[in-house]
Amino acid sequence: MKKLYLAFCLILFLVAASFAAVDINTASKEELDGLVGIGPVKAEAIIKYRQEKGPFKNLEDLKNVYGIGDKIFERIKSDITIGSTEKATENKGSAEAKTDVKTDSAVKTEAAKPEVKAEAVPPVDEKQAESQPPAPKP
């Protein structure tokens, strides 16, 4: 029964995937892997390129990803879209905001550490200080 259910889910997924264009700016590794000619390695390369260079501005930018040439691009161009670059930029911005939050919390953690206060030292007479040997360093 489980096998039948899994087969049904797989067929349903393939049918749905065949009708929906994949947004290369937001697609997961699994979604990219579902494209013809794109395996897990190229899917990972697309994601890495997207993280390093930012969202794709047009479909042709996909050719800049290592391993994706004219042949593969021609096969998949009808199955991909860039969606909204504003949405992809917002997602990137929210990731940066999360990083800032972590940085802020790290600063707050450091600020919460107890401060070491210096002990008050009585003033020293200059003549007395010159006659005494220097104090040993700790």
Side-chain angles (χ1 to χ4, degrees):
M1 185 68 178
K2 278 186 177 181
K3 288 181 182 181
L4 182 62
Y5 177 73
L6 288 174
F8 177 73
C9 288
L10 180 63
I11 291 171
L12 185 62
F13 174 76
L14 291 175
V15 169
S18 67
F19 291 114
V22 174
D23 184 349
I24 59 175
N25 281 329
T26 59
S28 67
K29 182 178 176 182
E30 291 77 21
E31 291 171 316
L32 293 168
D33 188 16
L35 294 168
V36 175
I38 304 293
V41 173
K42 287 180 185 163
E44 192 67 41
I46 293 169
I47 292 170
K48 184 177 178 184
Y49 181 91
R50 185 173 69 197
Q51 290 169 342
E52 291 174 357
K53 308 285 184 181
F56 293 96
K57 304 284 189 268
N58 59 57
L59 294 179
E60 296 280 326
D61 287 346
L62 189 61
K63 292 182 192 178
N64 296 330
V65 176
Y66 180 78
I68 299 181
D70 292 331
K71 282 185 174 182
I72 291 176
F73 179 76
E74 288 300 318
R75 276 191 244 155
I76 65 172
K77 73 179 180 181
S78 62
D79 298 328
I80 59 174
T81 183
I82 56 166
S84 171
T85 55
E86 291 176 11
K87 184 178 176 183
T89 305
E90 286 175 12
N91 289 342
K92 184 178 179 187
S94 66
E96 289 171 359
K98 288 178 186 175
T99 304
D100 291 343
V101 170
K102 288 180 183 177
T103 303
D104 289 344
S105 65
V107 170
K108 288 177 185 174
T109 303
E110 288 180 15
K113 292 180 182 177
E115 293 182 25
V116 178
K117 295 184 180 180
E119 294 180 22
V121 179
V124 178
D125 183 24
E126 288 182 27
K127 290 180 183 177
Q128 186 181 16
E130 290 176 3
S131 64
Q132 292 181 356
K137 293 183 181 181

